[in-house]
Amino acid sequence: MPLNLAIVGRPNVGKSSLLNKLLGEERAIVSPVAGTTRDTVDTLLETPEQAFRIIDTAGIRRKGKTLAMAEKLSVVMARKSLERADVAIVLLDAEQGIAALDAAIAGYASEAGCSIIVALNKWDLLEDKDTHTGAAFERKVREQMKFLAWAPVVTISALVGQRVLKLLPLAIRANEARSRRIPTSQLNQFYERMIERSGIVPAGSHGRSRLHVQYVTQTSVRPPTFVVFTSGGKGGLHFSFLRHLENRLREEFDFFGTPIRFVERHKKKRLR
Ligand SMILES: Nc1nc2c(ncn2[C@@H]2O[C@H](COP(=O)(O)OP(=O)(O)OP(=O)(O)O)[C@@H](O)[C@H]2O)c(=O)[nH]1
Ligand SMILES: [Mg+2]
């Protein structure tokens, strides 16, 4: 089964250039496949490690359209590509900076449950780069897309090919993470250890609460989804507790580049 890899981003960020560079640099079998909609053209790329079906989100010809219209349409197109994607490369333009539209597209990718790799393209256009420039840009991305703290950020140039080959191994790893299933027994051992080490106990969002986590189980993959069974007091785990749980889960089980979801099931009475 090929890994469905969507390249999304606002108009002119370099989506088609990246596709072409990937196909050109990778010594691989390349063949076009008809997209399921008229708006996209898929390409099959077979590498020794993995087959990819790359979805290049079709550009919007600007003729007779305002920039605002083209931008709105680009979001619609991106959402269509994302519906079929396992992993999304969210492409940004390093020269133009990060716009609200970029954050919107990234938000849809995450909502769609795709694994995400953020690629800052046109890195070749930045002058006077030093060893700190990359980190400074990454900070900006993190600030403006707080919901993507878990996504790797790579600086690339689709034009000259700088670091584009780093994207495929990252996509493979992010796809594996998206499909990872942790057995309940292992999860609960992990949970016990987490509570023991951190001393952090489950807090409710309704002030003082006797909320108790009975157990955690993973109910689905793509993306990994966990049900947290709670009892006692009032349901509603505090977001900071869930964030802590999420971060520890990511560390422990290498949930790299993938969104993780939580559902709480609450029982009023605490079981003994
Ligand atoms: N300097 C530089 N220019 C780039 C790079 N990537 C793309 N470009 C240029 O940016 C312009 C847009 O590139 P495309 O690949 O067509 O962008 P796109 O995202 O596919 O655009 P649409 O399909 O219209 O949404 C072209 O002129 C490219 O040559 C890059 O890494 N560096
Ligand atoms: Mg294009």
Side-chain angles (χ1 to χ4, degrees):
M1 280 268 281
L3 187 167
N4 291 317
L5 179 66
I7 303 175
V8 294
R10 62 190 152 99
N12 219 44
V13 287
K15 299 181 291 296
S16 302
S17 304
L18 175 60
L19 171 69
N20 290 332
K21 205 66 188 181
L22 280 172
L23 304 183
E25 302 262 313
E26 198 45 76
R27 279 191 301 153
I29 306 160
V30 174
S31 53
V33 255
T36 55
T37 71
R38 262 183 302 143
D39 311 321
T40 59
V41 184
D42 295 358
T43 312
L44 200 62
L45 170 67
E46 287 192 55
T47 75
E49 295 78 29
Q50 173 77 50
F52 296 88
R53 185 185 183 114
I54 307 185
I55 308 159
D56 169 25
T57 308
I60 297 120
R61 269 138 308 193
R62 280 280 300 287
K63 212 173 158 204
K65 290 194 190 88
T66 62
L67 176 64
M69 261 166 83
E71 292 195 330
K72 262 192 202 136
L73 258 176
S74 76
V75 176
V76 176
M77 307 285 231
R79 292 185 76 171
K80 266 194 192 149
S81 301
L82 291 166
E83 273 172 24
R84 300 188 289 132
D86 301 305
V87 181
I89 295 178
V90 173
L91 209 55
L92 309 175
D93 186 326
E95 204 203 17
Q96 299 234 324
I98 303 146
L101 194 61
D102 297 314
I105 290 172
Y108 286 124
S110 164
E111 246 173 59
C114 297
S115 283
I116 297 177
I117 292 152
V118 177
L120 265 166
N121 191 33
K122 308 197 185 181
W123 199 240
D124 59 290
L125 288 181
L126 294 195
E127 284 164 11
D128 304 325
K129 288 192 286 276
D130 62 31
T131 48
H132 303 295
T133 316
F137 260 88
E138 181 175 342
R139 259 200 312 282
K140 259 189 246 170
V141 173
R142 301 268 176 232
E143 251 164 49
Q144 294 185 47
M145 302 188 191
K146 289 217 169 72
F147 55 95
L148 278 193
W150 43 265
V153 177
V154 194
T155 55
I156 65 164
S157 168
L159 191 71
V160 302
Q162 192 183 19
R163 284 186 286 278
V164 297
L165 287 185
K166 276 182 81 172
L167 295 173
L168 297 183
L170 290 176
I172 293 173
R173 192 172 157 210
N175 186 51
E176 281 166 0
R178 186 165 171 275
S179 315
R180 183 160 298 134
R181 196 184 279 280
I182 313 296
T184 303
S185 59
Q186 221 177 314
L187 263 180
N188 286 296
Q189 281 166 20
F190 150 83
Y191 183 77
E192 297 286 315
R193 274 202 311 278
M194 175 188 115
I195 296 291
E196 242 169 56
R197 281 194 198 147
S198 67
I200 292 174
V201 291
S205 43
H206 308 286
R208 270 196 307 140
S209 148
R210 290 165 294 122
L211 210 52
H212 170 74
V213 170
Q214 294 180 306
Y215 71 106
V216 183
T217 187
Q218 185 176 353
T219 49
S220 56
V221 290
R222 291 184 280 272
T225 304
F226 297 88
V227 175
V228 183
F229 288 88
T230 59
S231 64
K234 234 185 186 173
L237 283 166
H238 198 270
F239 78 91
S240 65
F241 176 78
L242 285 174
R243 193 173 52 195
H244 179 73
L245 178 61
E246 175 176 345
N247 290 339
R248 293 292 87 74
L249 269 174
R250 287 186 181 284
E251 280 175 17
E252 180 88 9
F253 301 109
D254 188 30
F255 284 116
F256 172 83
T258 177
I260 295 183
R261 295 192 173 148
F262 292 100
V263 179
E264 180 182 346
R265 293 267 160 72
H266 182 70
K267 270 213 192 90
K268 268 225 169 83
K269 274 209 181 109
R270 180 166 174 172
L271 297 178
R272 295 195 176 267

